């Protein structure tokens, strides 16, 4: 029953706990499915953070006098299912990576909404320690989201690099490579095959 703001806070916190525990199971699979080393690393790093976030929520529940377990976050269930659909797809690795980034950012935005509101409720209720713990996680989720945006922009840039090859980079080698690049453009298949290795090469420079 929801009779007070405290009830809403405790139920939402338990919902977030379910969301985090679902993610702990999903993130290793997403890391495995990702091709770009940076994206793999982003998922692996966030897995470790997520484990800590679940522990933080256990502390929050203790402070609020409720049990963390027993609720299922249906929204996260749906988001994780969408992620699983992407992982079941076949196709160009960079496109799969792009879709995985999108799925992960949807997760982050959901969590940012949840933690943001819960932190505000905790503050209103004078639960300063609870608010602090929730804000700590909120900041981690925001940082993860920003990192994913940077990776998404990196993928877009890689596509552009592949299309305008030789325009900006590798000045000295331009003359030697120009012929090859033109050939690649004419034959569709080799260009597509080279794309993923080129993506990795471009990113490795950063
Ligand atoms: Fe999280």
């Amino acid at each position: 029953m929801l009779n007070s703001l405290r009830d809403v806070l405790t139920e939402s916190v338990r919902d977030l706990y379910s969301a985090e525990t679902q993610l702990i199971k999903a993130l290793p699979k997403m890391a495995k499915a990702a091709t770009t080393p940076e994206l793999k690393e982003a998922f692996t790093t966030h897995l470790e953070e997520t484990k800590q976030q679940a522990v933080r929520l256990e502390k929050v529940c203790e402070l609020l006098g409720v049990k963390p377990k027993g609720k299922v976050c249906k929204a996260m269930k749906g988001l994780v299912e969408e992620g699983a659909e992407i992982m079941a797809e076949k196709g160009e690795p960079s496109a799969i990576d792009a879709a995985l980034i999108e799925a992960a950012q949807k997760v982050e935005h959901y969590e940012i909404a949840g933690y943001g509101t819960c932190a505000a409720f905790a503050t209103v209720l004078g639960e300063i320690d609870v608010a602090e713990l929730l804000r700590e996680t909120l900041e981690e989720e925001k940082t993860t989201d920003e990192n994913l945006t940077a990776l998404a922009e990196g993928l877009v840039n890689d596509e552009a690099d592949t299309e305008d090859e030789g325009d900006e980079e590798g000045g000295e080698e331009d003359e030697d490579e120009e012929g090859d690049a033109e050939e690649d453009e004419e034959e569709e298949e080799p260009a597509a095959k080279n794309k993923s290795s080129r993506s990795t090469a471009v990113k490795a420079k950063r």
Side-chain angles (χ1 to χ4, degrees), residues 22-116:
Q22 288 182 57
L23 262 187
I24 288 169
K25 286 183 193 156
L27 279 166
K29 295 175 198 164
M30 289 173 82
K32 208 176 159 194
T35 304
T36 318
E38 285 86 346
L39 186 56
K40 271 186 190 291
E41 199 187 311
F43 288 147
T44 310
T45 303
H46 196 51
L47 170 65
E48 292 315 308
E49 277 177 348
T50 303
K51 288 177 185 168
Q52 291 311 307
Q53 291 168 356
V55 172
R56 234 174 256 146
L57 285 173
E58 284 167 6
K59 280 185 204 155
V60 164
C61 285
E62 206 182 309
L63 288 166
L64 294 171
V66 291
K67 284 185 181 162
K69 289 177 187 169
K71 199 172 162 82
V72 176
C73 176
K74 289 178 190 151
M76 187 58 75
K77 207 169 170 227
L79 289 167
V80 166
E81 273 169 19
E82 284 192 2
E85 270 177 23
I86 295 163
M87 288 186 267
E89 288 269 3
K90 293 203 174 12
E92 182 66 33
S94 61
I96 304 283
D97 275 3
L100 286 172
I101 290 173
E102 188 191 355
Q105 286 200 281
K106 284 177 181 171
V107 165
E108 292 314 312
H109 284 224
Y110 176 76
E111 291 185 309
I112 287 166
Y115 279 104

Side-chain angles (χ1 to χ4, degrees), residues 2-204:
L2 299 176
N3 289 321
S4 64
L5 188 57
R6 180 171 286 270
D7 289 345
V8 179
L9 173 63
T10 53
E11 282 312 293
S12 299
V13 161
R14 293 173 73 233
D15 192 76
L16 281 170
Y17 185 75
S18 164
E20 299 295 12
T21 49
Q22 288 182 57
L23 262 187
I24 288 169
K25 286 183 193 156
L27 279 166
K29 295 175 198 164
M30 289 173 82
K32 208 176 159 194
T35 304
T36 318
E38 285 86 346
L39 186 56
K40 271 186 190 291
E41 199 187 311
F43 288 147
T44 310
T45 303
H46 196 51
L47 170 65
E48 292 315 308
E49 277 177 348
T50 303
K51 288 177 185 168
Q52 291 311 307
Q53 291 168 356
V55 172
R56 234 174 256 146
L57 285 173
E58 284 167 6
K59 280 185 204 155
V60 164
C61 285
E62 206 182 309
L63 288 166
L64 294 171
V66 291
K67 284 185 181 162
K69 289 177 187 169
K71 199 172 162 82
V72 176
C73 176
K74 289 178 190 151
M76 187 58 75
K77 207 169 170 227
L79 289 167
V80 166
E81 273 169 19
E82 284 192 2
E85 270 177 23
I86 295 163
M87 288 186 267
E89 288 269 3
K90 293 203 174 12
E92 182 66 33
S94 61
I96 304 283
D97 275 3
L100 286 172
I101 290 173
E102 188 191 355
Q105 286 200 281
K106 284 177 181 171
V107 165
E108 292 314 312
H109 284 224
Y110 176 76
E111 291 185 309
I112 287 166
Y115 279 104
T117 312
C118 285
F121 289 164
T123 305
V124 170
L125 291 166
E127 292 284 357
I128 305 306
D129 293 344
V130 169
E132 183 132 333
L133 285 164
L134 295 173
R135 277 203 198 96
E136 218 174 305
T137 299
L138 178 63
E139 290 312 311
E140 284 177 2
E141 308 292 25
K142 284 183 184 171
T143 304
T144 302
D145 182 49
E146 282 164 16
N147 291 342
L148 289 166
T149 297
L151 285 173
E153 285 167 355
L155 284 179
V156 173
N157 286 338
D158 288 349
E159 291 264 332
D161 285 348
T162 308
E163 280 162 27
D164 310 329
E165 190 143 291
D167 278 2
E168 283 180 22
E169 288 185 38
E172 279 178 25
E173 288 170 283
D174 261 8
E175 280 179 23
D176 294 329
E177 297 228 312
E178 210 168 5
D180 293 346
E182 274 169 21
E183 273 171 35
D184 277 358
E185 272 172 23
E186 281 163 23
E187 296 165 38
E188 272 184 24
E189 243 185 76
K193 273 181 193 163
N194 286 338
K195 204 183 262 182
S196 61
S197 59
R198 232 178 255 157
S199 289
T200 312
V202 170
K203 276 185 192 156

